[in-house]
Amino acid sequence: MNTVVLAPAALPAVLPAAAWPALRSADVVYAAGDLPEVTRVALDAKAAPAPEELLRATGAVVLVAADRTDPGAAALLEAGAALVSVPVPAVVEAVAVMDKLRSPGGCPWDAAQTHDSLRQYLVEETYELLEAIEDGDRAALREELGDVLLQVLFHARVAAEDGQDPFDIEDVAGELVAKLIGRHPHVFGGDEVIDTAEHQQVRWEELKQTEKRRESIVDGVALGQPAVALAGKLGQRTGRAGLPPDLFPAGDTDAEQLFRLAASARRAGVDPEGALRAVAKRFAADVRTAEASARSAGVTPQDPPTWRHHWPH
């Protein structure tokens, strides 16, 4: 019986276990034109002839292809050949789609993007994900996580094309794995014991400080983050080092007072950025409610008494 084995281009070194009996018993093994060369060489497969010749071949024929739409694979399957395939994880498929979009013949817009041009989308998608989390919207959460993942795949694909210092998504994932293992010695080996989340947070920062050979406790704080979040992070980081809060900026300007509030809140375990955003969202909702109430009364809230009359209580 003839067999079509699918070896997806996204997983060129992977063949389904069920394919090996067919490969061993085959009279001839052919490689379709869409099969990655590394797979063809590893299997010592012959280049597949035209579909008509494949159908006339005698004995047990195995055709290894990357996709069932290959003409030879399609012809054999239509004639009753067995199909053996391996499921491709969606994450791997996403990498392959990103590669195709950036490759010749792909999408002109995707091909034209750079790390710099993509920055705005990374920020936008991150805030949309944050909003989905705050709203408790599971469907939006799933979608926005995908959009953030797209940005990671996009940047990794752009980085792979760099002529001086290329790296790809495998390098990114490999570095992440090494970091997670190195920052969790109590989980992946050794005698260290971590009993609480707070202890782990402190230990994480200690290991990071040693690993990156940082000279200052504020090294590595992203200075480009929103100002309230930045003040909070600086308050948290310096608090772990025992810096007294009376050394916070001591002026009476609005900015200096806001810094002290944000830094102190983070030291107390409150996320000042999230807390302020929650208040701002409630305020925006109150504005909409007052406007709707005023409109239903046939007026426009353009003066203080009208605003106060229609303000939700």
Side-chain angles (χ1 to χ4, degrees):
M1 182 178 182
N2 295 334
T3 304
V4 173
V5 175
L6 296 185
L11 297 169
V14 177
L15 285 179
W20 290 107
L23 289 168
R24 293 191 186 98
S25 62
D27 293 302
V28 59
V29 177
Y30 289 120
D34 65 350
L35 192 69
E37 181 64 11
V38 63
T39 309
R40 188 199 69 76
V41 171
L43 294 173
D44 192 25
K46 300 178 181 179
E52 299 78 15
E53 294 184 46
L54 277 174
L55 294 173
R56 291 196 298 267
T58 58
V61 173
V62 172
L63 174 66
V64 186
D67 194 280
R68 63 187 304 159
T69 60
D70 169 80
L76 286 174
L77 290 172
E78 186 176 356
L83 174 65
V84 180
S85 62
V86 58
V88 179
V91 170
V92 174
E93 191 172 2
V95 173
V97 169
M98 188 72 253
D99 285 341
K100 188 167 186 176
L101 291 173
R102 284 284 294 190
S103 298
C107 174
W109 185 89
D110 289 276
Q113 300 312 302
T114 65
H115 290 304
D116 189 63
S117 71
L118 291 169
R119 288 187 306 162
Q120 60 178 318
Y121 304 110
L122 177 59
V123 173
E124 290 171 5
E125 299 299 355
T126 301
Y127 275 114
E128 289 177 9
L129 172 59
L130 187 59
E131 184 175 5
I133 294 172
E134 290 174 344
D135 292 345
D137 189 332
R138 298 287 294 176
L141 176 62
R142 183 169 56 247
E143 179 182 355
E144 299 305 337
L145 281 169
D147 288 341
V148 172
L149 175 60
L150 168 61
Q151 297 306 308
V152 175
L153 296 177
F154 216 145
H155 279 281
R157 183 62 175 81
V158 172
E161 300 168 11
D162 188 277
Q164 302 299 318
D165 183 23
F167 60 84
D168 60 17
I169 192 66
E170 287 293 317
D171 299 311
V172 172
E175 191 163 316
L176 172 61
V177 169
K179 178 189 294 185
L180 290 175
I181 292 175
R183 302 268 178 90
H184 294 84
H186 59 293
V187 176
F188 296 100
D191 299 324
E192 187 171 354
V193 176
I194 301 291
D195 295 319
T196 66
E198 292 75 14
H199 184 189
Q200 167 57 21
Q201 200 168 25
V202 172
R203 188 67 179 116
W204 177 282
E205 292 295 339
E206 292 173 347
L207 290 166
K208 183 192 294 185
Q209 190 100 351
T210 302
E211 173 189 311
K212 294 184 177 293
R213 297 186 177 89
R214 289 175 173 164
E215 298 179 355
S216 170
I217 57 172
V218 297
D219 283 350
V221 174
L223 300 180
Q225 62 186 298
V228 172
L230 173 59
K233 184 67 175 179
L234 290 170
Q236 179 193 47
R237 186 71 71 85
T238 55
R240 290 175 182 164
L243 187 145
D246 60 280
L247 295 181
F248 288 163
D252 293 325
T253 67
D254 290 342
E256 288 163 326
Q257 293 181 61
L258 182 57
F259 180 94
R260 290 197 296 273
L261 282 172
S264 299
R266 185 67 186 269
R267 283 197 179 187
V270 176
D271 170 19
E273 185 75 20
L276 180 59
R277 185 167 45 253
V279 172
K281 290 171 71 174
R282 288 200 304 271
F283 176 75
D286 287 344
V287 170
R288 292 179 185 276
T289 300
E291 290 171 330
S293 175
R295 280 195 298 270
S296 67
V299 297
T300 302
Q302 294 181 332
D303 57 79
T306 304
W307 276 112
R308 293 184 187 283
H309 177 73
H310 292 280
W311 198 255
H313 299 290

